[in-house]
Amino acid sequence: MEDVIAALDPLVGVVLIVGVLTWVAVRRRYLIQPDGALVAGVVLVVLAAEMRRPYVPELLGVERTGVEELVKHVLLVAGCLCLATYVPALNRGRRVDYVRLAITVVVGVAVLVVCFWLNGPWEPIDLTLQAGGRWGMIPYWTVLYGSVVLAAARFVHACLRGRRYVPRRRRWGADTAIVGACLAVLWALLSALQVNSSWTLPAVTPEFDAALDLLVVFSTGLVVVGIGGHLAHGALERRANRTQLARFHGRLMELVPEARLAAPGTRVADYHRDVEISDVLSSLRRHSSRADRHSLRRVAPWSVSARRMLRVELAADRRMEDLVPGDPERWRWAANDRALAKAGRYLGSARYPQALERVLAPAPDLDPELGSDPDRSPPSDGGA
């Protein structure tokens, strides 16, 4: 088991570092102010985890003196405080006060250094094996394990609060990360129990240490898989939505070319696209008719999203004929990016051209029989 842990631990660290760097590279245009705390926190925690490996002193070319235990704990406290600051800032849409964060980290590190110095000397082995009877180390362990519990608790709280806003198919990532964070809390509590001066079961210590190492590996792995899966799934979904919105946007620009703005820069391209879509739909709303939706329900019953696209086409035809109905329909769905993306998907559908031909081939005269229930809304599909 120890061999497995020794093999998995560096691998998890490498995956974390590579994942964070890849995430920063991919999202370089969309990084927000609190993301710096996330990157710093993850990197520091990974470095702290790697300090536990026996090959670190060999790489540094120094003998084990016990100071590397202090360095490991300093990195862990600094990383956890960064993560504990990042999570609520992201959840509440606030900026990270990096000056206050730096002061907090300095105070926490100072407590560790002072307690380590006052309670020495130390042997070049794990500090938890030397903790018995050293009551002056209580602030040390409080800061160390308290920072881990604080970061994990805030992370779990944020995931649980945001869980109801995430589609069911994407909740597995957050749920997996929650389990990993709970295991991290369990590790902190058991480690705090181990360093208690009343711990008097030396025969169980090797197995207990192995269990703690296993908790670290599993908690870190689950958090990595959960966060990585959640971000990757969201990124793929956003990419697909951008493709569908681009298709929908291109069709609208064909229908109302005068709504196109000047060529935007890359940083504001998405903003220009949203403005142009909003302008065109605002114009076409004035040329739509309530009775159209009932006609479309009969002609194209196979998709609400396709009926939306056909409604856009009908409104564009009416606009070309300068026909403005007296009671234009409100398109509530047009304010929902997800609904627009679904509508854009049907521009590439094999069934859409046939349905479009069936709808637009006859003159867009309204059948009075189709207006028997004018107040009935079409089925909901992403905010309709």
Side-chain angles (χ1 to χ4, degrees):
M1 182 61 69
E2 293 181 358
D3 294 338
V4 174
I5 295 175
L8 287 179
D9 203 350
L11 179 61
V12 171
V14 170
V15 170
L16 262 175
I17 291 291
V18 172
V20 169
L21 295 179
T22 303
W23 177 77
V24 171
V26 171
R27 292 191 69 229
R28 63 187 183 278
R29 286 178 51 196
Y30 306 100
L31 290 176
I32 57 178
Q33 195 262 358
D35 287 340
L38 173 65
V39 175
V42 172
V43 172
L44 289 172
V45 170
V46 170
L47 292 177
E50 293 309 305
M51 287 294 295
R52 298 167 56 248
R53 298 294 88 200
Y55 58 76
V56 173
E58 298 176 3
L59 292 177
L60 298 178
V62 297
E63 297 293 334
R64 294 184 66 91
T65 62
V67 177
E68 62 273 7
E69 288 289 316
L70 174 64
V71 175
K72 176 183 70 175
H73 293 160
V74 165
L75 292 173
L76 181 60
V77 168
C80 288
L81 290 177
C82 289
L83 295 177
T85 303
Y86 164 78
V87 171
L90 182 68
N91 199 35
R92 300 170 187 171
R94 297 179 180 177
R95 297 174 63 86
V96 171
D97 188 344
Y98 285 103
V99 174
R100 180 180 298 179
L101 174 60
I103 294 174
T104 304
V105 171
V106 168
V107 171
V109 170
V111 172
L112 298 184
V113 173
V114 170
C115 290
F116 183 87
W117 178 66
L118 292 178
N119 291 274
W122 300 94
E123 298 293 331
I125 57 176
D126 197 326
L127 290 182
T128 57
L129 302 179
Q130 310 174 60
R134 301 180 190 248
W135 295 98
M137 288 291 287
I138 290 180
Y140 186 101
W141 304 118
T142 301
V143 171
L144 175 61
Y145 297 120
S147 63
V148 176
V149 172
L150 177 64
R154 283 190 165 182
F155 179 79
V156 171
H157 178 256
C159 288
L160 292 177
R161 282 192 59 184
R163 189 175 183 274
R164 62 180 180 273
Y165 303 111
V166 179
R168 291 183 180 275
R169 64 181 180 278
R170 288 176 52 191
R171 290 180 183 175
W172 68 268
D175 293 343
T176 302
I178 287 174
V179 174
C182 291
L183 290 180
V185 173
L186 179 61
W187 168 83
L189 296 177
L190 292 178
S191 298
L193 177 64
Q194 184 187 34
V195 302
N196 190 287
S197 59
S198 62
W199 186 262
T200 57
L201 298 175
V204 185
T205 300
E207 292 78 6
F208 194 79
D209 288 341
L212 291 181
D213 287 343
L214 197 60
L215 272 179
V216 170
V217 173
F218 273 102
S219 63
T220 307
L222 289 176
V223 170
V224 171
V225 172
I227 295 178
H230 179 75
L231 293 177
H233 198 290
L236 292 175
E237 189 174 77
R238 286 191 298 271
R239 182 175 181 179
N241 285 345
R242 284 198 299 270
T243 301
Q244 294 161 10
L245 279 172
R247 185 180 297 151
F248 186 59
H249 170 258
R251 179 56 178 160
L252 291 183
M253 291 299 99
E254 294 176 4
L255 298 175
V256 188
E258 62 269 23
R260 188 180 295 276
L261 302 173
T266 56
R267 290 184 176 274
V268 294
D270 292 342
Y271 173 74
H272 273 225
R273 181 205 64 199
D274 294 342
V275 171
E276 290 172 346
I277 289 176
S278 177
D279 288 346
V280 174
L281 290 177
S282 297
S283 172
L284 295 182
R285 280 192 197 103
R286 297 186 292 108
H287 299 272
S288 64
S289 170
R290 286 183 179 273
D292 286 342
R293 60 184 172 189
H294 306 295
S295 176
L296 295 177
R297 189 175 289 131
R298 181 187 64 180
V299 176
W302 39 269
S303 170
V304 174
S305 297
R307 289 198 293 268
R308 289 171 178 166
M309 281 301 309
L310 297 177
R311 193 182 310 163
V312 168
E313 301 284 353
L314 284 176
D317 277 6
R318 293 177 181 277
R319 176 178 173 276
M320 295 298 294
E321 299 174 7
D322 199 25
L323 174 61
V324 182
D327 186 16
E329 179 183 359
R330 291 182 58 200
W331 292 354
R332 293 188 303 273
W333 62 271
N336 188 317
D337 281 351
R338 188 184 297 262
L340 294 180
K342 286 182 179 179
R345 183 172 66 237
Y346 284 88
L347 282 172
S349 170
R351 294 180 293 181
Y352 175 73
Q354 288 79 6
L356 176 62
E357 182 179 354
R358 293 174 61 191
V359 172
L360 299 183
D365 295 331
L366 303 180
D367 186 345
E369 295 182 0
L370 298 176
S372 58
D373 56 343
D375 293 329
R376 181 183 176 187
S377 299
S380 175
D381 185 10

